[in-house]
């Protein structure tokens, strides 16, 4: 493999599904390889419209078969299995088979004549299906991806396969990453057949959990930490009443373009904004282009289009027993950021009662990490009876939440996302490209509370500081 010259990483062949079961540590000598998977450990350039087209899907990998035949491959966390287009002339049926393929650099090679091979995958178990004729030939799905820590730079665009992300949450937060934790949901039994075992027997395909479900807050109010005195005053319980936006449960689908919402979720957002004093409902949905989904045989046709002013993806800071929802935790993080930004005022503000720990009087709660995307997020609105949505809900219940939709690559076009499947719990690491203002893209890391006098830390991009010697309680009394 002449194009791989340094930083070779090696993956071992998995027993279940014949896919990768793990990846060895990075930094092995050049030339190391394995029958399954060989990558060079560096970003592999992908192909995408510029800017990333919301209505056409996520970026595509350039791939080829060992015989040199090229094809496009979607990198889609929203697909459980790796899929290839079924060809009737080959008498292919819905049964797991193995495929060999290479990933290529989407940018032209320096000599203009050769194609750089960036990764080789051999003996990967895939399912042939009737994919959209106008879409990519194949979909690299979650069963394969979950064996790596996968970084996708949606702005470049590029993909990197890491062995694992070993950094701690604290180190990542101090480096500016919004770390969102998740458990993998879904999985189950398909009617498709497995590959024959050593006795020649087949059975239904068993799919492991691969669904990445993120907590969203749709259409929260704008936030300005420089404002003289926003509405931060709240007693215990007011954090729920004052929260803006609508809680959402969204499946990460990097092969899809826009934010996809069920009609019921959209109606909740409209009702919330209409009933909020000074609220401005989002634009009335209109008919538009069909929505391509890489793993479906045809685009979704019954789609309405609109925009949301903002969307936030919020980590869960509290435990399940006291979980107030993503919009409440977003509001708390914003109030704590405002307080932190004003600690150098003549009379620094205190944490409000609604933001203190009920189990530790006088101590603020931690501020949850979140990613906020602004400047009108494109939304595709689909009926609640859409088979794709119903299948996702049925797959994830009852262990997971009721799914409201998908968050696609177009929503994350200003970010770099690393899906750290290998950590426990798994993590989504998000940063914004530097050219975007915080009103367009803001990755806000977790901010831990200061428990003791003399403790110091730096949060929200502010200077390192300690707890104030005194704070102005009168502002909210």
């Amino acid at each position: 493999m002449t194009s791989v010259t340094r930083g070779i990483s090696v993956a071992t062949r998995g027993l279940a599904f014949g896919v990768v079961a793990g990846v060895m540590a990075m930094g092995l000598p050049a030339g190391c390889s394995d029958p399954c998977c060989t990558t060079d450990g560096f970003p592999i350039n992908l192909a995408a419209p510029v800017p990333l087209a919301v209505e056409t899907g996520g970026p595509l990998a350039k791939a080829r078969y060992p015989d040199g035949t090229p094809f496009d491959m979607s990198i889609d966390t929203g697909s459980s299995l790796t899929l290839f287009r079924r060809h009737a002339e080959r008498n292919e049926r819905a049964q797991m088979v193995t495929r060999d393929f290479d990933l290529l650099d989407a940018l032209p090679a320096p000599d203009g004549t050769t194609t750089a091979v960036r990764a080789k995958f051999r003996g990967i178990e895939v399912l042939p299906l009737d994919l959209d004729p106008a879409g990519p030939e194949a979909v690299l799905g979650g069963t394969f991806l979950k064996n790596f820590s996968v970084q996708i730079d949606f702005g470049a665009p590029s993909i990197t396969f890491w062995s694992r992300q070993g950094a701690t949450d604290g180190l990542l937060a101090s480096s500016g990453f919004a770390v969102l934790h998740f458990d993998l949901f879904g999985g189950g039994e398909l009617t498709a057949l497995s590959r024959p075992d050593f006795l020649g027997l087949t059975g239904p395909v068993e799919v492991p959990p691969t669904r990445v479900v993120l907590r969203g807050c749709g259409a929260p109010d704008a936030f300005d930490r420089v404002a003289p005195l926003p509405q931060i005053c709240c007693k215990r319980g007011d954090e729920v009443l004052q929260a803006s936006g609508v809680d959402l449960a969204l499946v990460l689908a990097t092969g899809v373009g826009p934010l996809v919402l069920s009609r019921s979720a959209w109606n909740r957002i409209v009702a919330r904004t209409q009933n909020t004093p000074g609220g401005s409902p989002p634009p009335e949905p209109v008919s538009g282009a069909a929505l391509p989904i890489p793993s479906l045989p045809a685009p979704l046709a019954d789609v309405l289009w609109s925009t949301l002013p903002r969307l936030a993806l919020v980590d869960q800071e509290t435990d399940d027993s006291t979980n107030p929802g993503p919009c409440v935790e977003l509001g708390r993080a914003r109030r704590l950021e405002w307080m932190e930004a004003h600690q150098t005022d003549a009379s620094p503000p205190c944490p409000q009662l609604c933001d203190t720990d009920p189990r530790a009087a006088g101590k603020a709660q931690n501020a949850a990490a979140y990613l906020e995307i602004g400047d009108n997020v494109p939304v595709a609105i689909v009926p609640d009876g859409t088979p794709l949505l119903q299948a996702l809900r049925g797959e994830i219940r009852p262990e997971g939440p009721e799914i409201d939709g998908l968050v696609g690559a177009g929503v994350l076009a200003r970010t770099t996302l690393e899906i750290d499947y290998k950590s426990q719990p798994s993590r989504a690491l998000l940063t914004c490209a530097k050219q975007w203002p915080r009103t367009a893209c803001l990755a806000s890391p977790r901010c831990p509370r200061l428990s003791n006098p003399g403790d110091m830390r730096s949060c929200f991009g502010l200077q390192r500081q300690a707890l104030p010697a005194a704070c102005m309680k009168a502002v909210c009394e």
Side-chain angles (χ1 to χ4, degrees):
M1 184 172 178
T2 58
S3 64
V4 179
T5 58
R6 55 179 179 166
I8 300 293
S9 63
V10 181
T12 60
R13 183 181 301 276
L15 297 179
F17 297 96
V19 297
V20 184
V23 180
M24 294 183 178
M26 300 291 290
L28 296 177
C32 291
S33 62
D34 180 88
C36 166
C37 311
T38 304
T39 69
D40 64 5
F42 291 89
I44 301 172
N45 292 305
L46 303 175
V50 180
L52 193 62
V54 170
E55 296 181 1
T56 57
L60 300 175
K62 293 297 182 181
R64 74 179 182 192
Y65 293 107
D67 66 3
T69 304
F71 62 93
D72 289 339
M73 171 175 274
S74 171
I75 311 294
D76 189 14
T77 58
S79 174
S80 290
L81 294 175
T82 294
L83 310 174
F84 273 68
R85 180 172 288 113
R86 180 165 54 182
H87 296 276
E89 65 274 14
R90 303 175 191 167
N91 295 319
E92 292 179 326
R93 56 178 180 166
Q95 180 173 9
M96 302 298 289
V97 298
T98 59
R99 287 280 189 272
D100 300 341
F101 57 92
D102 303 333
L103 291 189
L104 312 176
D105 197 311
L107 297 182
D111 61 10
T113 59
T114 61
T115 302
V117 178
R118 303 297 307 282
K120 286 190 173 185
F121 300 125
R122 298 292 181 264
I124 306 304
E125 197 158 11
V126 307
L127 180 64
L129 284 182
D130 295 324
L131 302 180
D132 184 356
E137 172 78 8
V139 181
L140 195 62
T143 304
F144 180 87
L145 296 172
K146 71 191 288 285
N147 299 285
F148 299 89
S149 183
V150 181
Q151 178 177 300
I152 304 176
D153 183 342
F154 293 99
S158 66
I159 184 170
T160 310
F161 296 94
W162 301 105
S163 59
R164 67 181 299 271
Q165 172 56 261
T168 64
D169 285 358
L171 178 60
L172 291 166
S174 65
S175 301
F177 287 89
V179 181
L180 312 182
H181 299 85
F182 61 87
D183 294 317
L184 291 174
F185 288 110
E189 187 175 280
L190 301 181
T191 56
L193 294 177
S194 65
R195 285 203 305 146
D197 62 15
F198 68 98
L199 294 176
L201 302 177
T202 63
V205 175
E206 295 290 339
V207 182
T210 64
R211 307 295 188 186
V212 178
V213 180
L214 301 178
R215 304 163 78 237
C217 182
D221 293 341
F223 169 66
D224 181 7
R225 73 181 187 186
V226 182
L229 187 62
Q231 186 180 358
I232 65 166
C233 305
C234 60
K235 60 182 181 296
R236 190 81 66 201
D238 284 351
E239 68 274 19
V240 177
L241 299 175
Q242 293 186 9
S244 64
V246 171
D247 291 347
L248 301 170
L250 303 170
V251 173
L252 179 66
T254 55
V256 178
L259 172 67
V260 182
L261 290 180
S262 68
R263 185 73 203 203
S264 59
W266 177 260
N267 290 342
R268 296 203 317 268
I269 292 173
V270 172
R272 182 63 181 258
T273 53
Q274 288 177 337
N275 296 328
T276 300
S280 177
E284 185 69 20
V286 297
S287 298
L291 176 65
I293 306 289
S295 57
L296 296 185
L300 298 180
D302 192 7
V303 179
L304 298 176
W305 293 85
S306 186
T307 60
L308 289 181
R310 280 166 295 280
L311 172 72
L313 302 176
V314 188
D315 192 35
Q316 182 174 330
E317 183 59 44
T318 61
D319 58 37
D320 290 339
S321 64
T322 58
N323 175 21
C327 289
V328 170
E329 295 213 69
L330 174 65
R332 172 171 294 135
R334 287 170 158 188
R335 286 189 298 271
L336 292 172
E337 179 178 355
W338 187 92
M339 183 197 72
E340 190 85 5
H342 288 261
Q343 287 304 300
T344 56
D345 292 356
S347 298
C350 304
Q352 297 308 296
L353 183 60
C354 66
D355 297 326
T356 57
D357 190 339
R359 298 165 297 184
K363 293 183 179 180
Q365 297 201 45
N366 303 319
Y370 67 91
L371 174 80
E372 183 176 330
I373 302 295
D375 288 353
N376 296 320
V377 178
V379 183
I381 303 160
V382 300
D384 281 75
T386 301
L388 171 66
L389 187 60
Q390 292 285 30
L392 283 172
R393 288 173 169 172
E395 184 181 341
I396 291 172
R397 287 192 305 247
E399 292 82 6
E402 180 81 354
I403 296 302
D404 295 300
L406 310 171
V407 56
V411 180
L412 303 173
R414 301 162 185 165
T415 73
T416 295
L417 163 68
E418 183 173 345
I419 312 167
D420 183 13
Y421 289 103
K422 303 298 289 181
S423 292
Q424 295 298 325
S426 301
R427 307 177 294 182
L429 318 178
L430 288 147
T431 55
C432 293
K434 293 182 179 179
Q435 69 267 29
W436 296 105
R438 62 179 286 147
T439 54
C441 185
L442 171 64
S444 182
R446 177 180 187 266
C447 182
R449 69 187 182 192
L450 292 176
S451 300
N452 303 299
D455 289 351
M456 298 186 69
R457 53 103 169 88
S458 175
C459 282
F460 309 113
L462 301 169
Q463 66 182 9
R464 185 173 171 83
Q465 55 191 4
L467 287 168
C471 61
M472 183 179 63
K473 296 183 179 180
V475 69
C476 287
E477 291 180 347

